[in-house]
Amino acid sequence: CGRARRTDHRAGPPHPPPVAEAISVDFSSDNSMDYAFERLRHGFGTRLASVIHLAAYYSFSKKDSPLYEEITVRGTERLIKRLKDFQVEQFIFSSTMLVHAPCEPDQRINEDRPLQAKWAYPASKIKTEAILREMLGSTPLVMQRIAGIYDDKCHSIPISHQIQRIYEKELTSHFYPGDLRKGQSFLHLEDLVDVIERTVLSRKSLPAQTIWLLGEPSTLSYGELQRTLGKLLYGKEWKTWKIPKPFAKVGAWLQNIVTGGKTFIKPWMIDLSDDHYALDISRVKSLLNWQPRRTLQETIPHMIQLLKKDPASWYRMNKLEAPSAFPVQN
């Protein structure tokens, strides 16, 4: 029918374009899933060029939550069961690079690196990947293990909070419990959209089951990011000192007590501060002739420009609690 199709976990903005129909669906509800697929069948038939599965539970507030199992794992089972009545040419699953064991700064992670989930989010993705292999049968499957996503306005929880700490000159912004040489790969949202589109258009030529990593080849270390943000915000490098992990955990615990849990850094995150994720994306380059066109390093100045121009709007866009008075820029 030439129309775009989308299922989402909630109705409301951002609204789809006029040529698309958004079908709201609760991944934790069998009744909601039944209704969504009946509407899909009635409106568009039973032949689907590609199912792009992006729905999952994700939160930095807790290391674990029953919603990882209910939404990400069991929700995917509900989805696959209802797709049995459809002709699906391709299934694309958004996994995460965090399913892999981290590497050292002089190494890169490829798709053959061992799986090692350090918290509930990547663990739920590993379980879901196994379910897809088991339940999809002969349906062609692409599993995309994706780096952290951002866009021109930021819309990245860890990056926005790091910017906030330096912008507000918080004392904690000068301390870090991990190796400052380490960091993680990111990917611009527009590059993710581009690779998904290419994946759909190439569905007839891809292997029956494909796994690839998606991220920028260059990885900014935490220290580099600190220095860059300091220069962009205040014209000088931001001094950052390493502190022992036990002290950092106590500090994070006290901050969460004082703020009623509103502080971004949680004690459980301290153990992950030494993890490094630099990606080898040669597989997706080979299969799709694709690589990212944008970099985080080139995009950060634009983020900071928007922040300086209208701090209140930038904070709202990134769902940050605004200070009583924004810092005066020199």
Short mmCIF file of all heavy atoms in Angstrom, two decimals, residues 71-104:
data_model
loop_
_atom_site.label_atom_id
_atom_site.label_comp_id
_atom_site.label_asym_id
_atom_site.label_seq_id
_atom_site.Cartn_x
_atom_site.Cartn_y
_atom_site.Cartn_z
N ILE A 71 8.77 -6.03 29.53
CA ILE A 71 8.66 -5.27 28.28
C ILE A 71 9.61 -5.80 27.21
O ILE A 71 9.19 -6.17 26.11
CB ILE A 71 8.95 -3.78 28.53
CG1 ILE A 71 7.98 -3.20 29.57
CG2 ILE A 71 8.87 -3.00 27.22
CD1 ILE A 71 6.54 -3.23 29.18
N THR A 72 10.90 -5.84 27.53
CA THR A 72 11.89 -6.18 26.51
C THR A 72 11.82 -7.65 26.11
O THR A 72 11.77 -7.97 24.91
CB THR A 72 13.30 -5.84 27.02
OG1 THR A 72 13.34 -4.47 27.42
CG2 THR A 72 14.33 -6.07 25.91
N VAL A 73 11.81 -8.54 27.09
CA VAL A 73 11.87 -9.97 26.80
C VAL A 73 10.49 -10.53 26.45
O VAL A 73 10.26 -11.01 25.34
CB VAL A 73 12.49 -10.75 27.97
CG1 VAL A 73 12.57 -12.24 27.64
CG2 VAL A 73 13.88 -10.21 28.30
N ARG A 74 9.55 -10.45 27.41
CA ARG A 74 8.21 -11.03 27.17
C ARG A 74 7.43 -10.23 26.13
O ARG A 74 6.62 -10.80 25.39
CB ARG A 74 7.43 -11.11 28.48
CG ARG A 74 8.11 -11.93 29.56
CD ARG A 74 8.46 -13.33 29.04
NE ARG A 74 9.49 -13.96 29.88
CZ ARG A 74 10.29 -14.90 29.46
NH1 ARG A 74 10.22 -15.31 28.20
NH2 ARG A 74 11.20 -15.44 30.25
N GLY A 75 7.67 -8.93 26.07
CA GLY A 75 7.02 -8.12 25.04
C GLY A 75 7.42 -8.55 23.64
O GLY A 75 6.59 -8.59 22.72
N THR A 76 8.69 -8.91 23.49
CA THR A 76 9.14 -9.41 22.18
C THR A 76 8.50 -10.76 21.87
O THR A 76 8.11 -11.03 20.73
CB THR A 76 10.67 -9.52 22.16
OG1 THR A 76 11.24 -8.21 22.37
CG2 THR A 76 11.16 -10.08 20.83
N GLU A 77 8.37 -11.61 22.87
CA GLU A 77 7.67 -12.89 22.66
C GLU A 77 6.24 -12.65 22.17
O GLU A 77 5.77 -13.33 21.25
CB GLU A 77 7.66 -13.70 23.94
CG GLU A 77 8.98 -14.35 24.29
CD GLU A 77 8.86 -15.26 25.51
OE1 GLU A 77 7.89 -15.08 26.29
OE2 GLU A 77 9.71 -16.14 25.67
N ARG A 78 5.55 -11.70 22.80
CA ARG A 78 4.18 -11.38 22.37
C ARG A 78 4.17 -10.91 20.91
O ARG A 78 3.28 -11.28 20.13
CB ARG A 78 3.59 -10.30 23.27
CG ARG A 78 3.36 -10.72 24.71
CD ARG A 78 2.70 -9.61 25.52
NE ARG A 78 2.52 -10.02 26.90
CZ ARG A 78 3.38 -9.74 27.88
NH1 ARG A 78 4.46 -9.01 27.63
NH2 ARG A 78 3.15 -10.18 29.10
N LEU A 79 5.13 -10.10 20.57
CA LEU A 79 5.23 -9.59 19.20
C LEU A 79 5.43 -10.72 18.19
O LEU A 79 4.73 -10.81 17.18
CB LEU A 79 6.38 -8.58 19.11
CG LEU A 79 6.74 -8.03 17.74
CD1 LEU A 79 5.61 -7.18 17.19
CD2 LEU A 79 8.03 -7.21 17.83
N ILE A 80 6.38 -11.60 18.46
CA ILE A 80 6.71 -12.68 17.52
C ILE A 80 5.54 -13.63 17.36
O ILE A 80 5.23 -14.09 16.24
CB ILE A 80 7.96 -13.45 17.99
CG1 ILE A 80 9.16 -12.52 18.09
CG2 ILE A 80 8.28 -14.60 17.03
CD1 ILE A 80 9.49 -11.78 16.83
N LYS A 81 4.85 -13.95 18.43
CA LYS A 81 3.71 -14.86 18.34
C LYS A 81 2.64 -14.31 17.39
O LYS A 81 2.03 -15.07 16.62
CB LYS A 81 3.11 -15.09 19.72
CG LYS A 81 3.96 -15.98 20.61
CD LYS A 81 3.36 -16.10 22.01
CE LYS A 81 4.24 -16.98 22.91
NZ LYS A 81 3.69 -17.06 24.30
N ARG A 82 2.41 -13.02 17.41
CA ARG A 82 1.38 -12.43 16.56
C ARG A 82 1.85 -12.24 15.13
O ARG A 82 1.05 -12.14 14.21
CB ARG A 82 0.90 -11.12 17.18
CG ARG A 82 -0.03 -11.40 18.36
CD ARG A 82 0.01 -10.32 19.42
NE ARG A 82 -0.86 -10.73 20.55
CZ ARG A 82 -0.44 -11.51 21.55
NH1 ARG A 82 0.82 -11.95 21.57
NH2 ARG A 82 -1.27 -11.85 22.52
N LEU A 83 3.16 -12.22 14.93
CA LEU A 83 3.68 -12.12 13.57
C LEU A 83 3.58 -13.45 12.81
O LEU A 83 3.80 -13.48 11.59
CB LEU A 83 5.14 -11.65 13.59
CG LEU A 83 5.37 -10.17 13.89
CD1 LEU A 83 6.86 -9.89 14.03
CD2 LEU A 83 4.77 -9.29 12.80
N LYS A 84 3.27 -14.55 13.51
CA LYS A 84 3.15 -15.85 12.85
C LYS A 84 2.07 -15.83 11.77
O LYS A 84 2.13 -16.62 10.81
CB LYS A 84 2.83 -16.94 13.88
CG LYS A 84 3.89 -17.16 14.95
CD LYS A 84 5.18 -17.69 14.38
CE LYS A 84 6.18 -18.01 15.50
NZ LYS A 84 7.49 -18.48 14.96
N ASP A 85 1.10 -14.95 11.91
CA ASP A 85 0.01 -14.87 10.93
C ASP A 85 0.31 -13.90 9.79
O ASP A 85 -0.56 -13.61 8.98
CB ASP A 85 -1.29 -14.43 11.63
CG ASP A 85 -1.75 -15.45 12.66
OD1 ASP A 85 -1.50 -16.65 12.44
OD2 ASP A 85 -2.34 -15.04 13.68
N PHE A 86 1.54 -13.37 9.76
CA PHE A 86 1.92 -12.41 8.73
C PHE A 86 3.09 -12.97 7.91
O PHE A 86 3.85 -13.81 8.37
CB PHE A 86 2.35 -11.09 9.38
CG PHE A 86 1.22 -10.31 9.99
CD1 PHE A 86 0.68 -10.68 11.22
CD2 PHE A 86 0.69 -9.20 9.33
CE1 PHE A 86 -0.36 -9.96 11.77
CE2 PHE A 86 -0.35 -8.48 9.89
CZ PHE A 86 -0.89 -8.86 11.11
N GLN A 87 3.19 -12.46 6.69
CA GLN A 87 4.35 -12.76 5.84
C GLN A 87 5.37 -11.65 6.04
O GLN A 87 5.18 -10.52 5.58
CB GLN A 87 3.93 -12.82 4.37
CG GLN A 87 2.97 -13.93 4.04
CD GLN A 87 2.47 -13.81 2.60
OE1 GLN A 87 1.53 -13.06 2.30
NE2 GLN A 87 3.11 -14.55 1.70
N VAL A 88 6.44 -11.98 6.74
CA VAL A 88 7.45 -10.98 7.10
C VAL A 88 8.73 -11.24 6.30
O VAL A 88 9.34 -12.30 6.42
CB VAL A 88 7.75 -11.02 8.61
CG1 VAL A 88 8.78 -9.95 8.98
CG2 VAL A 88 6.46 -10.82 9.42
N GLU A 89 9.13 -10.26 5.50
CA GLU A 89 10.33 -10.43 4.67
C GLU A 89 11.62 -10.18 5.46
O GLU A 89 12.69 -10.67 5.07
CB GLU A 89 10.28 -9.47 3.48
CG GLU A 89 9.15 -9.76 2.49
CD GLU A 89 9.17 -8.83 1.30
OE1 GLU A 89 10.26 -8.29 0.98
OE2 GLU A 89 8.11 -8.62 0.69
N GLN A 90 11.51 -9.46 6.57
CA GLN A 90 12.72 -9.13 7.34
C GLN A 90 12.32 -8.68 8.74
O GLN A 90 11.31 -8.00 8.92
CB GLN A 90 13.50 -8.01 6.65
CG GLN A 90 14.77 -7.57 7.36
CD GLN A 90 15.36 -6.32 6.73
OE1 GLN A 90 14.74 -5.26 6.73
NE2 GLN A 90 16.55 -6.45 6.14
N PHE A 91 13.13 -9.06 9.73
CA PHE A 91 12.93 -8.59 11.10
C PHE A 91 14.22 -7.93 11.56
O PHE A 91 15.29 -8.56 11.55
CB PHE A 91 12.57 -9.76 12.03
CG PHE A 91 12.08 -9.32 13.38
CD1 PHE A 91 10.73 -9.29 13.67
CD2 PHE A 91 12.99 -8.97 14.38
CE1 PHE A 91 10.28 -8.88 14.93
CE2 PHE A 91 12.55 -8.57 15.63
CZ PHE A 91 11.19 -8.53 15.91
N ILE A 92 14.14 -6.66 11.98
CA ILE A 92 15.30 -5.91 12.45
C ILE A 92 15.13 -5.66 13.95
O ILE A 92 14.12 -5.11 14.38
CB ILE A 92 15.44 -4.56 11.72
CG1 ILE A 92 15.59 -4.77 10.21
CG2 ILE A 92 16.62 -3.77 12.28
CD1 ILE A 92 15.57 -3.48 9.40
N PHE A 93 16.11 -6.07 14.73
CA PHE A 93 16.05 -5.91 16.18
C PHE A 93 17.14 -4.95 16.64
O PHE A 93 18.30 -5.08 16.27
CB PHE A 93 16.23 -7.25 16.88
CG PHE A 93 16.25 -7.15 18.38
CD1 PHE A 93 15.18 -6.63 19.07
CD2 PHE A 93 17.36 -7.59 19.10
CE1 PHE A 93 15.20 -6.54 20.46
CE2 PHE A 93 17.39 -7.50 20.48
CZ PHE A 93 16.30 -6.97 21.16
N SER A 94 16.75 -3.98 17.46
CA SER A 94 17.73 -3.04 18.01
C SER A 94 18.27 -3.56 19.33
O SER A 94 17.61 -3.50 20.36
CB SER A 94 17.09 -1.66 18.22
OG SER A 94 16.01 -1.74 19.13
N SER A 95 19.47 -4.11 19.27
CA SER A 95 20.16 -4.57 20.47
C SER A 95 21.14 -3.48 20.88
O SER A 95 21.01 -2.33 20.49
CB SER A 95 20.85 -5.91 20.21
OG SER A 95 21.37 -6.45 21.39
N THR A 96 22.14 -3.81 21.66
CA THR A 96 23.08 -2.81 22.17
C THR A 96 24.50 -3.36 22.15
O THR A 96 24.72 -4.56 22.35
CB THR A 96 22.72 -2.39 23.60
OG1 THR A 96 23.76 -1.56 24.13
CG2 THR A 96 22.54 -3.60 24.52
N MET A 97 25.46 -2.47 21.94
CA MET A 97 26.87 -2.87 22.01
C MET A 97 27.24 -3.35 23.41
O MET A 97 28.22 -4.08 23.59
CB MET A 97 27.77 -1.69 21.63
CG MET A 97 27.74 -0.55 22.62
SD MET A 97 28.85 0.80 22.17
CE MET A 97 28.57 1.92 23.55
N LEU A 98 26.42 -2.97 24.42
CA LEU A 98 26.72 -3.33 25.80
C LEU A 98 26.54 -4.81 26.11
O LEU A 98 26.85 -5.25 27.21
CB LEU A 98 25.86 -2.50 26.75
CG LEU A 98 26.03 -0.98 26.65
CD1 LEU A 98 25.06 -0.28 27.60
CD2 LEU A 98 27.46 -0.56 26.94
N VAL A 99 26.03 -5.59 25.14
CA VAL A 99 25.97 -7.04 25.36
C VAL A 99 27.37 -7.64 25.34
O VAL A 99 27.57 -8.75 25.85
CB VAL A 99 25.09 -7.74 24.29
CG1 VAL A 99 23.68 -7.21 24.33
CG2 VAL A 99 25.69 -7.60 22.90
N HIS A 100 28.34 -6.93 24.78
CA HIS A 100 29.71 -7.44 24.69
C HIS A 100 30.53 -7.06 25.93
O HIS A 100 30.26 -6.06 26.59
CB HIS A 100 30.41 -6.86 23.46
CG HIS A 100 29.89 -7.38 22.16
ND1 HIS A 100 30.14 -8.66 21.72
CD2 HIS A 100 29.11 -6.80 21.22
CE1 HIS A 100 29.55 -8.84 20.54
NE2 HIS A 100 28.92 -7.73 20.22
N ALA A 101 31.54 -7.85 26.18
CA ALA A 101 32.52 -7.48 27.20
C ALA A 101 33.28 -6.25 26.73
O ALA A 101 33.58 -6.11 25.54
CB ALA A 101 33.50 -8.63 27.43
N PRO A 102 33.57 -5.29 27.62
CA PRO A 102 34.32 -4.10 27.21
C PRO A 102 35.74 -4.46 26.81
O PRO A 102 36.21 -5.58 27.05
CB PRO A 102 34.29 -3.22 28.47
CG PRO A 102 34.08 -4.18 29.59
CD PRO A 102 33.22 -5.29 29.05
N CYS A 103 36.41 -3.49 26.21
CA CYS A 103 37.79 -3.73 25.74
C CYS A 103 38.73 -2.69 26.35
O CYS A 103 38.32 -1.85 27.14
CB CYS A 103 37.84 -3.68 24.21
SG CYS A 103 37.41 -2.06 23.50
N GLU A 104 39.98 -2.76 25.97
CA GLU A 104 40.97 -1.79 26.40
C GLU A 104 41.11 -0.69 25.35
O GLU A 104 40.70 -0.87 24.20
CB GLU A 104 42.32 -2.47 26.63
CG GLU A 104 42.32 -3.46 27.78
CD GLU A 104 41.95 -2.81 29.11
OE1 GLU A 104 42.43 -1.67 29.35
OE2 GLU A 104 41.20 -3.41 29.89
#
